[in-house]
Amino acid sequence: MVTRHLVVCVTVLSVLAGLPAVADDGASEASLRAALRRLTAHVQQQITLTPDRINGETRVIAENVRLIGNSRGTLRDAFALVSAYEDRVGPLFLTDATRSGLPRKPQAGRELDYALIAVQQGLIDHAYTPSNLSRFADLLDGAFFKTSAYFPGAVASRADPRVVHRVRINASQPRPWGSPVMYDEDPARRPTGCYLAPGDIATVTVPPAMVSRGFSVRVGAHSWDLAEKPRMLRLDRVSLVYPIEAADTLVANPLGGGIYIEVPPNADLGLVTVTIRRAVRSPFFSATRFHKTTLREWREVERKHPGPWADFETDKFMMQVPTDWIYAFDDPAKLMRDWDRALDCVSDLFGRPRVRPKSVLYLQVDVVIRGSAYFPGYPQSNFSYSPHKKEGGHSSHWLLKGPRSGAATIFHELGHAQLFTKFSGEVEAVVNLPYVAVLNKGFGVDLDTAFGMSFDNENISLDQAAIMWMVTENFRQGKPMDISDSERNEVRYQHRGYAKYVEIAKLFGWKALERFWRSVQLDYLKGIDPPRNDDPTDNRILRMSRAAGADLTPLIHFWGVQPDDPAALRQAISAAGLKPSRLIYDRLVHYKTLIPMSNAEFAKHARTIYPRGLREGQSPLYGEGWYQVWLQKYDASHGEAAAAALQNIITRYFPTGRP
């Protein structure tokens, strides 16, 4: 921590005078101050604490940290420790010892580092409150953590207090149309293109209509708490939110951060102008209906601003990336058009409006992904970077190449966020469908290639996915696909688990699927809300068939989803005037020709989907391990059994042959 206006002199006498030999365990401000002072004296080599003693003082800080902003004296003591550590040891994550982060579980020899993390996190969590920014302005103004140069990043210039930034933002977030999606009830985040430099206290002024109406100012876009991560690569919580309770709101953050207005659900103020004093500008490319940055503005002005993070926003898409990635990036206009086109495909597919109350997709880069695996999010934070690596203004990261490049994970997680209806067991399969639509409908990628790319294996076409299903024992025995919660599952994270939808798009066009999910939205508005992840099978087949204008039962049956009550479904299909489809008949006959009828043909299929060979040591119940087992077993009898099973499906639904 560095301070321009605060000089803290800590002497041996002031640190030690009147302090007990061992810090109290009880929750008290006196215990907290004693621990802070002893650690400061240790850092300044005025006393020597053993590692166990340092850990003990850190425990006292943790137990009392909520009081760290309670008084001027405690704040001074906390800042004194931060200053001493950063001056003598160096900023967290910038020293040789902490450059690669710290394990969450405390390690011997790193006791002081963990103490400093506890203090800095405590200051962010408990000291930077609206009341403290007024009460202790002289203390907090100018105070910042030197680790901010690592994350979120250094600011090349300080704010000119004479400059006033006027920004228009969308202060509405109306009730969304249709069924819920994830994060509907969260505030909508609106970028301002302003950045708070570490140590500054800015003033955000809003119209009276925004006061005490649930609006707030966020400083720092990185709002995910990383406290569950096994390794600390930055402070866990780095973003601060200040409720707007008066026309003027003071905001600060010892790490600095982008300034955003958060708009509550159901707000309806439309476009408003806010003013921001004592902030610097950060790169901001806007392609919204009310603010369009020109390429000339971007190239000559916006990308040169000193804020270390850049915002990109349309009416449908938002993204934050480091400024170091984009200060030589020439054409964000095309990038934004491509993301918008992709998101239109997703909204169309699920029957939703193209423009919604908040961004359909919000992406953000961080030092580590926010969860233990990939997750949806507002923001979706599944992309890591190293602040130590400099990109020279033009990163090759695929986020800046647009949705055609490596975006399968993004659209998989966005699929989860849409909360659309599914057959039972499809949750981790059909969420890959949106990316097929994006690539094929949005960008003209042929359907088989788009299907393969949607789950990161371009070798898997519809034909290959069909073979992957037809060579299984369940198919040969006329059983549904396995959807058990086990390694035998034949649907989740597998192309064959959502191939039926791609098949429908191939035979009847994307409109067939769009009409189906649009009907789900219209039903929701009438009070009909089927289970999201367990849509009743027969009713779903009937509704999908209506949308396609043909009986889809045989196609869906082929792909491992069998009717619960075949006779009743057949009667409902007939009553709806839906006829057997020649296209489906031809497709099933085609699939029969693909069945491997020998071990050699089975091996050729395996080489097609795994051209680099099969890795050793994989589970024998799925994927490469399953193929290793069956390469030793598959023969003509298995092919004949699969052909018989498929013929049974054809005969069942097309008893008189081709329609």
Side-chain angles (χ1 to χ4, degrees):
M1 187 276 296
V2 175
T3 175
R4 297 193 300 273
H5 306 302
L6 170 66
V7 177
V8 180
C9 297
V10 182
T11 65
V12 176
L13 181 62
S14 65
V15 170
L16 299 179
L19 298 183
V22 179
D24 297 333
D25 289 334
S28 75
E29 192 170 356
S31 299
L32 175 61
R33 294 190 66 181
L36 292 168
R37 290 183 178 187
R38 267 190 291 269
L39 287 172
T40 302
H42 173 79
V43 172
Q44 294 178 330
Q45 299 180 348
Q46 297 165 347
I47 62 173
T48 299
L49 301 178
T50 65
D52 285 345
R53 185 64 178 270
I54 294 173
N55 287 337
E57 305 296 358
T58 303
R59 283 193 295 272
V60 171
I61 291 170
E63 290 166 359
N64 299 282
V65 74
R66 67 184 182 278
L67 305 175
I68 202 166
N70 213 40
S71 68
R72 182 179 299 273
T74 304
L75 279 173
R76 284 183 182 274
D77 290 340
F79 286 144
L81 174 56
V82 174
S83 291
Y85 177 98
E86 292 189 329
D87 289 345
R88 290 178 176 261
V89 180
L92 283 171
F93 309 111
L94 288 173
T95 65
D96 290 342
T98 61
R99 184 180 178 87
S100 60
L102 290 91
R104 178 72 56 183
K105 183 178 180 180
Q107 302 292 302
R110 311 292 289 277
E111 293 82 8
L112 200 57
D113 300 331
Y114 289 103
L116 200 279
I117 286 175
V119 172
Q120 288 192 329
Q121 190 65 72
L123 285 166
I124 290 174
D125 291 346
H126 303 289
Y128 281 79
T129 64
S131 61
N132 278 1
L133 293 188
S134 297
R135 286 199 302 158
F136 306 128
D138 60 323
L139 188 63
L140 296 175
D141 188 9
F144 70 96
F145 300 160
K146 285 184 178 179
T147 189
S148 62
Y150 160 76
F151 185 89
V155 178
S157 62
R158 311 300 303 179
D160 184 341
R162 299 168 298 177
V163 174
V164 177
H165 304 284
R166 291 179 173 82
V167 183
R168 280 207 306 170
I169 62 111
N170 176 7
S172 291
Q173 192 192 171
R175 183 181 180 85
W177 183 91
S179 62
V181 299
M182 287 186 184
Y183 312 107
D184 266 353
E185 298 303 316
D186 287 4
R189 195 171 299 179
R190 310 299 191 198
T192 65
C194 292
Y195 196 93
L196 181 74
D200 282 348
I201 298 178
T203 302
V204 179
T205 303
V206 302
M210 292 178 65
V211 175
S212 300
R213 294 279 301 276
F215 292 86
S216 58
V217 183
R218 180 177 290 277
V219 182
H222 292 80
S223 48
W224 288 111
D225 185 348
L226 302 184
E228 298 300 318
K229 303 300 289 184
R231 190 169 189 83
M232 292 180 281
L233 295 173
R234 64 162 170 83
L235 294 178
D236 293 332
R237 294 170 296 284
V238 297
S239 183
L240 288 167
V241 178
Y242 294 89
I244 295 176
E245 301 294 345
D248 291 340
T249 301
L250 298 178
V251 299
N253 187 325
L255 294 170
I259 298 175
Y260 302 84
I261 304 299
E262 300 219 318
V263 178
N266 303 317
D268 61 352
L269 298 185
L271 298 180
V272 302
T273 298
V274 301
T275 60
I276 302 173
R277 295 174 176 82
R278 207 173 169 197
V280 300
R281 283 295 319 281
S282 54
F284 181 24
F285 186 89
S286 175
T288 63
R289 62 188 182 278
F290 63 90
H291 178 206
K292 298 187 185 299
T293 307
T294 67
L295 283 179
R296 182 175 180 179
E297 289 171 333
W298 171 256
R299 292 167 182 168
E300 296 182 3
V301 179
E302 286 296 325
R303 66 181 178 179
K304 299 178 181 180
H305 288 310
W309 283 84
D311 290 292
F312 297 84
E313 183 188 33
T314 76
D315 293 319
K316 306 160 188 175
F317 175 75
M318 187 159 70
M319 176 174 71
Q320 281 112 26
V321 298
T323 298
D324 182 57
W325 286 20
I326 55 82
Y327 64 77
F329 183 59
D330 282 332
D331 192 2
K334 181 182 184 304
L335 179 67
M336 294 299 100
R337 287 195 300 271
D338 284 352
W339 280 112
D340 275 2
R341 182 190 304 178
L343 295 175
D344 285 349
C345 291
V346 176
S347 294
D348 290 350
L349 178 61
F350 296 126
R352 297 185 181 277
R354 289 185 169 185
V355 177
R356 308 193 208 171
K358 59 161 63 80
S359 304
V360 178
L361 178 62
Y362 174 15
L363 303 178
Q364 184 181 86
V365 179
D366 204 338
V367 295
V368 64
I369 66 173
R370 65 104 166 173
S372 57
Y374 297 135
F375 283 95
Y378 183 85
Q380 188 184 131
S381 183
N382 294 318
F383 331 99
S384 61
Y385 85 113
S386 171
H388 299 301
K389 180 185 177 184
K390 299 306 176 186
E391 296 285 354
H394 201 312
S395 172
S396 60
H397 196 283
W398 51 267
L399 283 179
L400 297 175
K401 297 178 181 179
R404 293 187 61 175
S405 178
T409 296
I410 288 176
F411 287 95
H412 176 104
E413 301 305 335
L414 180 61
H416 280 304
Q418 298 309 292
L419 300 178
F420 61 95
T421 59
K422 310 164 190 72
F423 285 113
S424 181
E426 287 186 332
V427 173
E428 290 293 353
V430 70
V431 290
N432 296 305
L433 180 66
Y435 198 35
V436 186
V438 166
L439 292 171
N440 177 246
K441 182 186 173 189
F443 294 96
V445 177
D446 75 86
L447 191 62
D448 274 325
T449 301
F451 178 52
M453 290 175 64
S454 67
F455 200 58
D456 295 326
N457 189 341
E458 293 185 37
N459 302 297
I460 300 180
S461 62
L462 277 170
D463 280 1
Q464 292 301 323
I467 298 172
M468 294 173 80
W469 168 224
M470 292 187 293
V471 296
T472 66
E473 187 173 0
N474 276 339
F475 184 84
R476 291 193 294 272
Q477 294 181 0
K479 295 180 179 180
M481 282 190 185
D482 189 314
I483 58 171
S484 65
D485 186 17
S486 72
E487 290 187 345
R488 298 182 185 276
N489 188 293
E490 294 170 322
V491 175
R492 64 187 179 194
Y493 303 111
Q494 297 170 68
H495 286 81
R496 63 190 174 191
Y498 58 103
K500 55 186 166 291
Y501 296 97
V502 182
E503 192 82 82
I504 291 168
K506 180 183 181 70
L507 299 180
F508 302 99
W510 286 105
K511 284 292 184 183
L513 295 172
E514 293 169 6
R515 284 192 295 266
F516 165 66
W517 272 300
R518 179 73 172 184
S519 73
V520 173
Q521 299 301 323
L522 296 175
D523 284 347
Y524 178 83
L525 297 177
K526 299 173 185 175
I528 304 169
D529 189 15
R532 288 285 175 268
N533 298 328
D534 191 17
D535 197 1
T537 299
D538 292 359
N539 184 260
R540 183 175 179 84
I541 292 173
L542 174 61
R543 289 179 288 124
M544 291 177 69
S545 297
R546 284 175 177 156
D551 181 6
L552 298 181
T553 312
L555 183 66
I556 293 172
H557 184 139
F558 168 80
W559 283 108
V561 178
Q562 299 180 7
D564 292 329
D565 188 338
L569 177 58
R570 185 165 53 250
Q571 184 177 0
I573 290 284
S574 177
L578 298 167
K579 305 297 183 183
S581 167
R582 182 179 301 176
L583 295 174
I584 292 175
Y585 176 89
D586 289 345
R587 198 66 180 157
L588 297 182
V589 170
H590 167 70
Y591 282 150
K592 192 174 178 182
T593 69
L594 302 178
I595 297 171
M597 300 306 292
S598 67
N599 185 269
E601 291 182 1
F602 181 83
K604 180 181 179 181
H605 157 65
R607 288 193 300 272
T608 299
I609 60 175
Y610 296 116
R612 296 182 180 179
L614 303 175
R615 294 172 295 172
E616 297 293 331
Q618 304 300 301
S619 169
L621 300 179
Y622 69 95
E624 295 172 62
W626 184 92
Y627 274 89
Q628 283 184 326
V629 170
W630 279 91
L631 278 171
Q632 310 305 316
K633 298 166 58 175
Y634 194 93
D635 59 27
S637 67
H638 299 109
E640 291 166 1
L646 179 48
Q647 186 57 50
N648 286 340
I649 295 174
I650 295 172
T651 301
R652 175 176 180 174
Y653 292 104
F654 302 97
T656 60
R658 189 170 188 259

